[in-house]
Amino acid sequence: MPRSDIPAASATPAAAAVPLRSVLAPASFRHPQANREVLLGEARVAYLLQRVRRRSIGFVVDVDGLSVRAPGWVTLSAIDAALQEKSDWILRKLGESQLRQQRRQDAQVEWKNGAVFPFLGEPLRIVLDAEHRFQGRGAALVAAPHEGLPRELHVALPLTADAAQIRDTVHAWLLKQARAHFIARLDHFAPRLNVRWTKLRLSSAQTRWGSARSDGSICLNWRLLHFRPSVIDYVVAHELSHLRVMDHSPRFWDTVATVVPDYKALRKSLKDEATPSWD
């Protein structure tokens, strides 16, 4: 956790205070396909402007940055005015997106012997085991060697295995675990919500954790296995609740709350917590 310790008094006279604004560089955000630039407050924002058939100006902030969609008849000065009007929202969303990207980078896994990644909200350490001293194929979960240490995932690969081999073997193991875990939780919540699910599909989507169809088909992102079980339960209950209410109306959220009362906090965890990138 960052700290700000107050130093003891010094015999050397303190230097004059420097204005914070002169120390910190202004924020800068750039879309990789930017074709326009604007100054919002002290932040320079390079954005992608697209001329489309629509009735008003639209703003989208995603992993690439800011995109603006506007009708052909809207002038550039009108677009600039709209950007200034929405500047607080735009800068907040750009900052949140940048923070998420930084968290994702910090959560990157270097696929090698001894690497650690999150599994059900807890650290799991990779141990390459060429002699295959465990039951099962590919990889197996093993108890921590000592109290206070993370559990281990023993992988049937030699120490000379490259990063792609290790990642792919771990991925295959996680897919298997995800299907088993999700089915168990679907079977747990479905009768409580008085619904029936018919089929489970695993997804690798970057921005969507799950979906449901009226025929009872459920899609869940296998990456959810990085989160603690209570967060996974929220997503499972969310999608099953759609089999009763196919929108996000108050009635839908009331349905979710019948089985996951603290869904708001869990939904926030889903947005805030970083998970490894598997790109």
Side-chain angles (χ1 to χ4, degrees), residues 223-240:
R223 300 169 194 256
L224 284 166
L225 228 57
H226 291 308
F227 292 93
R228 63 190 189 278
S230 57
V231 175
I232 300 173
D233 279 356
Y234 156 66
V235 179
V236 171
H238 181 120
E239 301 311 334
L240 286 174

Side-chain angles (χ1 to χ4, degrees), residues 61-278:
V61 175
D62 57 21
V63 293
D64 286 329
L66 173 64
S67 299
V68 179
R69 295 161 63 85
W73 53 265
V74 174
T75 64
L76 293 176
S77 60
I79 293 172
D80 286 343
L83 285 165
Q84 295 297 334
E85 184 180 345
K86 295 278 289 184
S87 62
D88 288 347
W89 179 87
I90 291 170
L91 292 176
R92 185 176 75 253
K93 290 299 181 182
L94 285 170
E96 291 172 354
S97 178
Q98 193 175 72
L99 183 58
R100 281 194 296 271
Q101 288 295 99
Q102 184 59 53
R103 285 173 176 167
R104 287 192 69 192
Q105 290 178 15
D106 293 343
Q108 292 305 298
V109 178
E110 188 177 354
W111 298 105
K112 63 180 183 179
N113 187 53
V116 175
F117 67 94
F119 173 67
L120 295 179
E122 299 291 339
L124 186 59
R125 181 171 175 265
I126 296 172
V127 175
L128 300 185
D129 185 356
E131 298 180 18
H132 204 144
R133 292 165 294 188
F134 58 87
Q135 294 183 347
R137 299 176 58 188
L141 192 61
V142 176
H146 302 289
E147 187 177 351
L149 293 179
R151 288 189 294 174
E152 296 181 345
L153 181 66
H154 284 222
V155 180
L157 288 173
L159 291 174
T160 55
D162 61 32
Q165 288 176 297
I166 299 169
R167 183 196 61 210
D168 292 348
T169 304
V170 173
H171 180 212
W173 180 81
L174 281 171
L175 288 176
K176 201 170 169 184
Q177 302 305 308
R179 181 167 292 278
H181 188 90
F182 295 163
I183 287 174
R185 303 318 289 163
L186 286 166
D187 287 343
H188 172 81
F189 283 111
R192 288 161 175 76
L193 289 163
N194 197 27
V195 297
R196 179 174 172 270
W197 67 279
T198 58
K199 184 170 64 174
L200 170 65
R201 183 172 66 85
L202 298 183
S203 159
S204 297
Q206 294 295 323
T207 58
R208 196 170 189 177
W209 293 114
S211 62
R213 304 176 77 173
S214 57
D215 64 0
S217 300
I218 301 292
C219 178
L220 294 170
N221 195 316
W222 65 267
R223 300 169 194 256
L224 284 166
L225 228 57
H226 291 308
F227 292 93
R228 63 190 189 278
S230 57
V231 175
I232 300 173
D233 279 356
Y234 156 66
V235 179
V236 171
H238 181 120
E239 301 311 334
L240 286 174
S241 294
H242 276 310
L243 301 185
R244 285 178 55 179
V245 186
M246 293 299 290
D247 56 33
H248 288 104
S249 63
R251 188 164 72 92
F252 168 79
W253 293 113
D254 288 344
T255 302
V256 175
T258 62
V259 289
V260 184
D262 57 341
Y263 74 86
K264 289 183 180 179
L266 296 169
R267 181 174 58 177
K268 187 175 186 302
S269 295
L270 194 64
K271 293 179 180 179
D272 293 346
E273 294 176 15
T275 58
S277 171
W278 288 75

